[in-house]
Each structure stands twice: as structure tokens, then as C-alpha cells.
Amino acid sequence: MAEEVKLFKTWSSPFGLRIVWALKLKGIQYESIDEDLTNKSPLLLQYNPVYKKIPVLLHNGQPIVESLIILEYIDETWKKNPLLPEDPHKRATARFLAKFGDDKVMSSIWAILTKEGKEQEEASVQAIENLKFLEEELKGKRFFGGEGIGFLDIALGWLANLVPVLEEILGYEVIDKAGFPFLSEWMLEFSSFPEIKENLPLHDKLVTKFRAYLAAAPDK
Amino acid sequence: MAEEVKLFKTWSSPFGLRIVWALKLKGIQYESIDEDLTNKSPLLLQYNPVYKKIPVLLHNGQPIVESLIILEYIDETWKKNPLLPEDPHKRATARFLAKFGDDKVMSSIWAILTKEGKEQEEASVQAIENLKFLEEELKGKRFFGGEGIGFLDIALGWLANLVPVLEEILGYEVIDKAGFPFLSEWMLEFSSFPEIKENLPLHDKLVTKFRAYLAAAPDK
């Protein structure tokens, strides 16, 4: 029986892109279903009744939700090109920093873009402090996963993808070469890795989307 | 070389208890370090510089933080009495519901205790809805992990431990036998399992602690 692999995503969501990248790196064929989040499909609501969010991976009829959990599922189901390292402590570090990326780094960087004045300054200080943890982890390595792209590279891939977009809108660099030599280099390396490069949303289209979002936001 | 296993925790934190239970179920000897959260030890701050929280597991000098990540580390390091199932989809479900327990169930139950009036009613409706997902998952099983206590039982153990405390303070049952026959039975089974029963904080001490907390809370 042929495997059924379907991915519910949007063209721009960094959480959906994680799954695209992981499936491409594993060489898994899948059907892509692009959702309109203003009018979610009945299938999305059926498969993710708790959070009602993309991404959802449907594998032979069984839904898996939450992007970091889907990444682990993919890594456990298709063993080729492992994403997580073997060593339990390295696995724990990758899981911790992926969660840290979502909980802390993403919100602090987002706040630079959406806040103003003193709040924006505080967000900037917080973002730099958070990014320093990632810079430290990357020191002396090509990727977080070592020589190849791993779980944490995919989980933090939104940095390589979205930070240049935010920087264009802000008019200055958040992850600059002087302050973050390893992260800066990683952003370039990650974005130019074939399976990633071929599956990145267009920069200009993202800039347009974010500018429109900010123009419509009530507090700007 | 003897293994060094140290656990930084408090006597009552449900996140610290997860690690106690997992180590006991695995039969791992460890040294327990009870933290005073009003005066955190320099070691705790050194080992968890990002979140500055317990629990921290120190294994042969290497710190691991975040309770669900520590549980995975323990399961991968000491293979005896596996906590997570083998099947990738069942693993994903256990991870998802553990996260759901922390993100949604815990906050909705906590809000019943700390809010008043309309907000309290809304929290109650939300908590019941969230608990229904867990009841559904448990249907026909003794434990979430099947015949034995697994990852999700440990992650949701705070329900068996803390809900009776909250119910005593509230004066009514949140997880009642009629509405939640499987969860009610599971709470009893879990709490009376030897490795759990021997490592539960005293009910009356918890009631006193929570009553004091609520009396001091600014919005009550």
C-alpha cells in the first residue's frame, strides 16, 4: 500500500515550513494542502480540534499536530537522515533550545517589530540576550546539528527566513555580523542549503505581508 | 565510576514531582536538593540561567532543564521500565497531551481557583471541556500508558495530586465520578501506585499552602 502523507500548512507560516523542510530532508513525498486561516477547512478543524491550527501532518489517516512534535514523529517514522542526535544530553539540549526559540526568542523579536518607544527598547535588549544563548550554542559549528541540518536548525529556521524580512522593515540589522558572527553565517548557510532554499517563501512577498499586517495592527 | 544524579526541586512543585516519580519508577538513586524559591541557590541559577526554575536534573555534571524534556532524557538514558510507548504515533499523542495538560488544562483549572464571578464560570466551562479530551484518551485503559504508568501519566500526575486539594478548597468536585468516570478512577489508581504513593506531598500541607497563597493573592 502506498503511504498517504498530507501536510496542512500555509505558504508563509514558519511552523508549517518546519515540516516542509523536514519532509524534504528525509526525501518523503507528500501532498500539500494550503489553508486559508480566515476560513479554515472542516478537515483542519477535525484533525486539530484543540488548537485548530496548522501544521497538521496526516500519515495514513492519523493526524499529528504541533510542529515540534511532528518533527519528532517524522524523525522516528523515517529513519533516513536523522534530525535529532543520538546522545540523550544533546537531544535534551536541542529540545530545550527549540522550545526556548518558540517561547522566548520569537516573542522578543516579534515585540521589536510590533512595540514602540520604551517597550521596543526593552524587547530589543531581551532579544539580544536571548540570541546570545543561541550564538554560544553554535560556536565552532556549521549547523546546530553539527555538519548537517538537524532538529534545532529546522526549529530555528524561522530566524534565517524571517529575520531578514523584519530587518528590512525595521531598517537595521538585529542579527549583525559583529555581534553574532556564528548566527549570521548560519543564516546564510541554512538558507542556501538546497532542500531549504527550494522551499522558502519569497522575501519580497513576506515583506509585503508583514507591512500590511503592521499597517492594520491596532497599536501601530 | 559511580553515577552522579542530583535533582533540584521543591517539596510541592508538580514539575519537580514528575522527575521524582520518573526516577523512582526507573529505580535510579539520586540526591535531592530542595530549593527555597524566594532565595534560589547559586547552583540553580548556574544550571538553569534561562528560566531560573526547578526542576533541574544534574547527571554526571551536566544539567538538564524543563520537566517534560527531563522525562524524555531519563527515558532515553535509563531504558528499564520505558515511559514512552514505542509506536511513533502513540509517542506523538503522549507528547501532545502532556503539552496540552501544561498549556491548557493546568491554566483553566488554576483559573477556577483564582478567579471569581463570570471569569470563574468561564474557566470552569473551559476546564471541563479540556478534561473531556483527557477522559476520551483514557477510555478503556487503566493508565494513559496502558497497563503501567507512562510518560503521560507522570506528566498529568499533578491532576491526581492537586485536584483533590483544589476541590477541598472550592468545596465541590471538579473531576466528578459521573462526568469523568475514567479520570476519577485513574486519579485513585495513580495515587495509590507504590512509587507514586510514597512520593506525594501531604494533602493537608498542600491545602494549607494553597489557602495561604490565595489569602495573600492581590485579586482575592
Side-chain angles (χ1 to χ4, degrees):
Chain A
M1 191 187 76
E3 279 201 307
E4 179 203 48
V5 183
K6 291 185 184 179
L7 173 61
F8 294 75
K9 65 173 193 65
T10 66
W11 70 273
S12 64
S13 160
F15 305 105
L17 283 169
R18 286 176 177 167
I19 314 307
V20 171
W21 297 332
L23 291 171
K24 293 288 177 182
L25 286 164
K26 292 276 185 179
I28 306 302
Q29 298 289 319
Y30 67 95
E31 180 188 340
S32 190
I33 297 153
D34 267 33
E35 284 284 332
D36 170 7
L37 297 185
T38 64
N39 182 23
K40 294 173 184 174
S41 74
L43 278 179
L44 176 64
L45 301 178
Q46 176 190 327
Y47 291 137
N48 192 355
V50 172
Y51 295 106
K52 304 177 175 67
K53 290 193 305 191
I54 62 104
V56 173
L57 184 73
L58 192 72
H59 184 207
N60 296 332
Q62 289 188 306
I64 305 106
V65 304
E66 291 293 299
S67 65
L68 296 179
I69 293 173
I70 299 173
L71 287 185
E72 298 235 19
Y73 176 84
I74 289 173
D75 208 27
E76 291 171 354
T77 301
W78 297 286
K79 308 285 189 190
K80 191 186 154 191
N81 301 335
L83 300 178
L84 275 165
E86 274 190 42
D87 173 70
H89 190 259
K90 287 185 180 158
R91 292 166 73 88
T93 302
R95 286 174 177 136
F96 170 72
L97 289 174
K99 184 176 187 300
F100 171 66
D102 282 4
D103 290 352
K104 300 285 181 181
V105 186
M106 198 178 275
S107 55
S108 58
I109 289 182
W110 185 242
I112 300 178
L113 198 68
T114 54
K115 302 291 182 188
E116 287 181 331
K118 198 171 156 54
E119 281 186 316
Q120 190 182 45
E121 280 168 42
E122 285 169 359
S124 187
V125 170
Q126 194 58 59
I128 300 294
E129 191 181 311
N130 291 338
L131 288 165
K132 287 284 176 198
F133 277 104
L134 302 181
E135 177 75 5
E136 197 58 36
E137 176 65 22
L138 199 53
K139 217 164 244 179
K141 288 190 288 193
R142 187 177 169 209
F143 293 110
F144 288 101
E147 274 310 296
I149 287 181
F151 177 86
L152 185 54
D153 296 280
I154 293 173
L156 294 174
W158 63 271
L159 279 173
N161 174 32
L162 286 182
V163 167
V165 172
L166 308 192
E167 289 177 337
E168 179 168 333
I169 295 174
L170 288 166
Y172 65 86
E173 283 192 321
V174 175
I175 300 183
D176 63 296
K177 269 189 191 162
F180 298 98
F182 289 100
L183 265 179
S184 302
E185 185 61 26
W186 170 84
M187 285 167 68
L188 293 175
E189 288 257 16
F190 182 80
S191 308
S192 53
F193 201 84
E195 284 86 351
I196 308 299
K197 190 180 179 182
E198 291 157 16
N199 296 285
L200 279 176
L202 292 175
H203 176 86
D204 291 351
K205 202 174 161 192
L206 281 172
V207 171
T208 303
K209 176 194 154 81
F210 276 93
R211 280 199 203 278
Y213 174 85
L214 290 169
D219 61 344
K220 276 293 230 194
Chain B
M1 190 187 76
E3 278 201 308
E4 178 203 51
V5 183
K6 290 185 184 178
L7 173 60
F8 295 76
K9 65 173 193 64
T10 65
W11 70 272
S12 64
S13 160
F15 305 104
L17 283 170
R18 286 175 178 168
I19 314 308
V20 171
W21 297 332
L23 291 171
K24 293 287 178 184
L25 287 163
K26 292 277 186 181
I28 305 302
Q29 298 289 320
Y30 66 96
E31 180 188 340
S32 190
I33 297 152
D34 268 33
E35 283 283 332
D36 170 6
L37 297 186
T38 63
N39 183 23
K40 293 172 185 175
S41 74
L43 279 179
L44 176 64
L45 302 178
Q46 176 191 327
Y47 292 138
N48 192 355
V50 172
Y51 295 106
K52 303 176 176 65
K53 290 194 304 191
I54 61 104
V56 172
L57 184 73
L58 192 72
H59 184 205
N60 296 333
Q62 289 189 304
I64 305 106
V65 303
E66 291 293 299
S67 65
L68 296 179
I69 293 174
I70 299 173
L71 287 185
E72 298 235 19
Y73 176 84
I74 288 173
D75 208 28
E76 291 171 353
T77 300
W78 297 287
K79 308 286 188 190
K80 189 187 155 191
N81 301 335
L83 301 177
L84 275 165
E86 274 190 43
D87 173 68
H89 190 260
K90 287 184 180 159
R91 292 166 74 86
T93 302
R95 286 175 177 136
F96 169 72
L97 289 174
K99 184 177 187 299
F100 172 65
D102 282 3
D103 289 352
K104 300 284 182 182
V105 186
M106 199 178 274
S107 56
S108 58
I109 289 182
W110 185 240
I112 300 178
L113 198 69
T114 54
K115 302 291 182 187
E116 287 181 330
K118 199 172 155 51
E119 281 186 315
Q120 189 182 43
E121 280 169 41
E122 285 168 359
S124 186
V125 169
Q126 193 59 58
I128 299 294
E129 191 181 310
N130 291 338
L131 288 166
K132 287 284 177 200
F133 277 104
L134 302 182
E135 176 76 6
E136 196 58 36
E137 176 64 22
L138 199 52
K139 217 166 244 179
K141 288 191 288 193
R142 187 174 169 211
F143 293 110
F144 288 100
E147 274 311 296
I149 287 181
F151 177 85
L152 184 54
D153 296 280
I154 293 173
L156 294 174
W158 63 271
L159 280 173
N161 175 32
L162 287 182
V163 166
V165 172
L166 307 193
E167 288 177 337
E168 180 168 333
I169 295 173
L170 288 166
Y172 65 87
E173 283 192 321
V174 175
I175 301 183
D176 63 295
K177 269 190 190 162
F180 299 97
F182 289 100
L183 265 179
S184 302
E185 184 62 26
W186 169 83
M187 284 166 69
L188 293 175
E189 287 257 16
F190 182 81
S191 307
S192 53
F193 201 84
E195 284 85 351
I196 307 299
K197 190 180 180 181
E198 291 156 17
N199 296 284
L200 279 175
L202 291 174
H203 176 87
D204 291 351
K205 202 175 161 192
L206 281 172
V207 171
T208 304
K209 176 193 154 80
F210 276 94
R211 280 199 204 278
Y213 174 84
L214 290 168
D219 62 343
K220 275 292 229 194

